[in-house]
């Protein structure tokens, strides 16, 4: 592949439209237009931005309030073959941008946290379901099977990503390293209490994999929940979400951000030549690997609950 000219990437730190995929897609399209106006060719959104992260999981799972929120979440979840993402795809095509957006995706009665990669032609490159929901997220999301974890070879470099605490799964990080990832889309919620560990995870994966990290987090507040939903009596920490998005170079240093407490779009230049300077020091699946001692076994086959033959 010929040398890739440096370009601008963006992390969107906006408030989502809770449980409303139509409004969420329109808002995402506006964000794409604004980011493109700043010169961005790669645009990353926070975790489940299309309908909002399920902050209500701080409620007791058996409570009527939790069940009401869960039903609303399911009603607003999208089928991966629906046209719900069309406004986002149209905006990507209009502005010639690679877009990474996450959504609550439903398949039958199960909801998944799914990352969608959309190319600059507006076509879906693929999707990845979060492999391991954390704590009370397990009451909401199913588990992805890992068969869709990948890196896309694009005109902007090799792009991939992970969702939230997948960044703490060492085999997942190493798997992406083995695929030669160059630009990593890190999608997180905006929890304030996670700020230090998110910072550590983002900077670690940037240096460990010798890649750029576009970390997108959202701002949210208790008064921004869906009108008409039951009052939430969960710990206020569940709604203490003040962003913290940033863009990090392969040396683990910030190129933009982190920014807290406001809706904004962060941008920074991605120059893939910088990766070489980092990899000379540490190449995790190259000269710094010891396959005679350690090897990663990765089963990329789809794990189907019903596999019909004939």
């Amino acid at each position: 592949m010929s040398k890739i000219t440096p370009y601008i990437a963006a992390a969107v730190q906006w408030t989502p439209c809770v449980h409303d995929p139509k409004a969420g897609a329109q808002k995402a399209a506006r964000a794409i237009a604004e980011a493109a106006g700043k010169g961005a060719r790669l645009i990353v959104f926070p975790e489940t931005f299309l309908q909002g992260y399920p902050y209500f999981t701080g409620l007791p799972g058996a409570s009527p309030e939790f069940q009401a929120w869960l039903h609303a979440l399911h009603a607003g979840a999208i089928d991966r073959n629906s046209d719900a993402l069309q406004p986002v795809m149209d905006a990507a095509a209009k502005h010639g941008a690679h877009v990474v957006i996450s959504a609550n995706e439903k398949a039958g009665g199960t909801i998944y946290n799914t990352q969608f990669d959309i190319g600059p032609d507006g076509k879906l490159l693929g999707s990845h379901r979060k492999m391991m929901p954390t704590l009370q997220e397990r009451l909401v999301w199913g588990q992805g099977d890992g068969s869709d974890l990948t890196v896309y070879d694009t005109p902007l470099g090799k792009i991939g990503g992970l969702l939230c605490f997948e960044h703490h799964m060492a085999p997942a990080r190493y798997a992406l390293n083995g695929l030669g990832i160059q630009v990593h889309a890190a999608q997180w919620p905006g929890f304030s209490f996670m700020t230090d560990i998110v910072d550590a995870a983002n900077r670690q994966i940037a240096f460990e994999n010798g890649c750029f990290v576009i970390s997108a987090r959202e701002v949210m507040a208790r008064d921004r929940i869906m009108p008409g939903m039951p009052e939430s009596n969960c710990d206020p920490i569940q709604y203490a979400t003040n962003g913290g998005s940033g863009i990090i170079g392969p040396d683990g240093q910030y190129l933009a951000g982190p920014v807290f407490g406001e809706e904004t779009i962060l941008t920074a230049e991605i120059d893939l030549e910088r990766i070489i300077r980092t990899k000379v020091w540490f190449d995790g699946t190259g000269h710094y690997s010891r396959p005679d001692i350690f090897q990663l076994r990765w089963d990329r086959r789809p794990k189907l609950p019903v596999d019909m033959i004939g």
Side-chain angles (χ1 to χ4, degrees):
M1 179 181 290
S2 59
K3 180 179 177 180
I4 296 173
T5 302
Y7 61 89
I8 300 299
V12 176
Q13 182 168 286
W14 283 13
T15 302
C17 300
V18 180
H19 299 334
D20 189 339
K22 183 176 180 180
Q26 294 294 340
K27 189 167 188 177
R30 293 195 298 273
I32 292 169
E34 183 171 325
K38 297 174 180 284
R41 297 179 60 199
L42 169 62
I43 302 166
V44 180
F45 287 87
E47 184 173 22
T48 56
F49 179 82
L50 191 72
Q51 310 101 327
Y53 178 87
Y55 294 106
F56 67 88
T57 52
L59 292 164
S63 69
E65 293 82 10
F66 180 95
Q67 293 300 316
W69 276 100
L70 183 60
H71 280 262
L73 180 71
H74 192 276
I78 65 169
D79 182 280
R80 68 170 60 192
N81 296 316
S82 75
D83 60 359
L85 286 174
Q86 195 59 52
V88 183
M89 294 177 176
D90 291 344
K94 179 178 179 180
H95 298 286
H98 184 117
V99 174
V100 184
I101 191 167
S102 171
N104 291 297
E105 176 219 344
K106 61 183 164 189
T110 300
I111 305 171
Y112 297 94
N113 177 353
T114 304
Q115 184 178 76
F116 294 90
D117 274 76
I118 301 168
D121 59 357
K123 294 181 181 179
L124 182 66
L125 294 175
S127 60
H128 162 64
R129 289 173 173 171
K130 187 175 183 177
M131 294 176 287
M132 189 65 235
T134 303
L135 291 175
Q136 61 265 35
E137 290 178 357
R138 297 169 197 166
L139 300 175
V140 175
W141 290 324
Q143 297 178 352
D145 66 6
S147 64
D148 53 13
L149 181 64
T150 193
V151 166
Y152 303 99
D153 199 351
T154 80
L156 302 180
K158 295 183 177 180
I159 298 174
L162 293 170
L163 293 150
C164 199
F165 268 38
E166 286 187 321
H167 289 88
H168 302 301
M169 299 175 71
R173 301 197 307 267
Y174 199 66
L176 292 178
N177 196 347
L179 294 176
I181 191 168
Q182 295 173 304
V183 187
H184 179 101
Q187 297 184 295
W188 300 86
F191 288 122
S192 302
F193 67 84
M194 287 171 48
T195 293
D196 290 343
I197 198 64
V198 170
D199 171 75
N202 285 335
R203 297 179 72 181
Q204 172 65 22
I205 200 170
F207 184 79
E208 181 180 305
N209 283 1
C211 63
F212 289 85
V213 173
I214 318 302
S215 176
R217 306 184 69 193
E218 64 190 19
V219 288
M220 187 63 176
R222 187 167 179 166
D223 61 359
R224 291 171 171 170
I225 63 176
M226 185 176 179
M229 291 302 295
E231 174 69 16
S232 172
N233 295 315
C234 61
D235 190 326
I237 196 172
Q238 289 294 126
Y239 293 99
T241 61
N242 66 344
S245 302
I247 300 176
I248 303 166
D251 58 357
Q253 301 303 309
Y254 279 93
L255 303 175
V259 174
F260 299 93
E262 62 178 279
E263 287 191 302
T264 186
I265 296 177
L266 292 79
T267 60
E269 182 183 78
I270 305 299
D271 182 358
L272 298 184
E273 290 296 306
R274 295 185 57 177
I275 290 174
I276 301 301
R277 297 199 291 272
T278 298
K279 294 263 188 178
V280 166
W281 287 85
F282 178 86
D283 188 358
T285 54
H287 67 259
Y288 225 94
S289 65
R290 284 294 305 274
D292 55 321
I293 304 174
F294 306 110
Q295 289 186 330
L296 173 64
R297 180 180 177 271
W298 180 7
D299 185 355
R300 299 187 73 181
R301 295 171 297 179
K303 289 78 174 176
L304 302 175
V306 180
D307 189 3
M308 293 180 284
I309 301 175

